[in-house]
């Protein structure tokens, strides 16, 4: 079952069960996916799982940034709402890699580029993010790759 099909199925279930938070969150996700479809001029063709994952990751990142902003502004009720939405969206992400798995992955990805140093940082991050889309946090990967390339 594709991500889009799962979202649609869960959306209908949330509608029937009157789960307001899940319904609103999935509605926003579906709208974002539809907007992406229009951007790509694919209105007659459904988004691929890869494209849908891109949309999903953007939605997750938006929620994470909003939570930080709301908490720093002392708006905990809004931060809690965003947190609830974030948890719903994370259900559609693939299993996250553990810290040890990420470390091993970064070590392997950095090895061919150690001679280039920090110049290769973008290449390394891109390769990791492309092959493990949705399984790793980009910020964490960026910091770890930077540290590894600086070590040499």
């Amino acid at each position: 079952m594709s991500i889009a099909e799962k979202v649609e199925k869960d959306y209908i279930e949330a509608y029937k069960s009157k789960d307001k938070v899940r319904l609103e969150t999935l509605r926003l996700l579906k709208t974002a996916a539809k907007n992406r479809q229009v951007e790509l001029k694919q209105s007659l063709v459904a988004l691929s799982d890869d494209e849908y994952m891109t949309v999903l990751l953007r939605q997750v990142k938006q929620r994470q940034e909003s939570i930080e902003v709301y908490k720093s502004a002392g708006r905990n009720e809004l931060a809690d709402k965003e947190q609830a939405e974030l948890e719903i969206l994370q259900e559609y992400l693939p299993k996250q890699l553990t810290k040890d798995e990420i470390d091993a992955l970064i070590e392997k990805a950095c090895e061919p580029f150690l001679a280039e140093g920090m110049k290769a940082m973008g290449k390394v991050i891109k390769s990791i993010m492309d092959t493990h889309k949705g399984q790793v946090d980009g910020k964490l990967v960026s910091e770890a790759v930077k540290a590894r390339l600086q070590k040499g």
Side-chain angles (χ1 to χ4, degrees), residues 5 34 42 48 58 78-79 85 88 92 96 110-111 113 122 127 134:
E5 291 168 342
K34 190 68 169 170
Q42 294 182 338
S48 67
R58 282 186 192 149
L78 293 174
E85 291 178 4
I88 291 168
Y92 298 95
Q96 299 294 297
C110 288
E111 205 168 301
F113 298 103
S127 72

Side-chain angles (χ1 to χ4, degrees), residues 9-138:
K9 181 177 147 278
D10 292 350
Y11 175 80
I12 291 169
E13 284 178 23
Y15 183 80
K16 288 178 180 176
S17 66
K18 296 179 178 33
D19 184 346
K20 187 177 177 187
V21 175
R22 181 174 291 277
L23 183 66
E24 288 177 18
T25 303
L26 295 178
R27 183 177 290 141
L28 289 171
L29 176 59
K30 286 176 54 165
T31 300
K34 190 68 169 170
N35 289 341
R36 180 67 180 151
Q37 207 173 1
V38 170
E39 283 174 28
L40 296 173
K41 297 178 176 49
Q42 294 182 338
S43 56
L44 300 176
V45 181
L47 289 178
S48 67
D49 270 357
D50 192 47
E51 278 297 329
Y52 213 98
M53 182 61 65
T54 301
V55 171
L56 181 59
L57 290 170
R58 282 186 192 149
Q59 293 292 309
V60 166
K61 187 174 181 182
Q62 270 183 350
R63 297 310 186 289
Q64 290 169 334
E65 290 170 353
S66 295
I67 289 168
E68 288 177 28
V69 170
Y70 288 142
K71 283 185 177 177
S72 67
R75 300 292 309 266
N76 291 332
E77 71 283 352
L78 293 174
D80 292 344
K81 180 183 181 287
E82 293 289 325
Q83 182 64 42
E85 291 178 4
L86 176 63
E87 289 169 8
I88 291 168
L89 292 173
Q90 287 175 332
E91 293 172 15
Y92 298 95
L93 293 176
K95 179 184 160 289
Q96 299 294 297
L97 297 179
T98 65
K99 178 81 171 113
D100 292 338
E101 291 171 326
I102 292 172
D103 291 342
L105 178 66
I106 288 170
E107 188 63 38
K108 183 179 173 192
C110 288
E111 205 168 301
F113 298 103
L114 290 176
E116 289 182 50
M118 290 303 291
K119 291 180 197 171
M121 186 171 167
K123 293 179 201 171
V124 175
I125 293 172
K126 183 173 177 6
S127 72
I128 292 171
M129 296 306 289
D130 286 348
T131 57
H132 295 83
K133 195 175 225 170
Q135 294 180 306
V136 293
D137 178 19

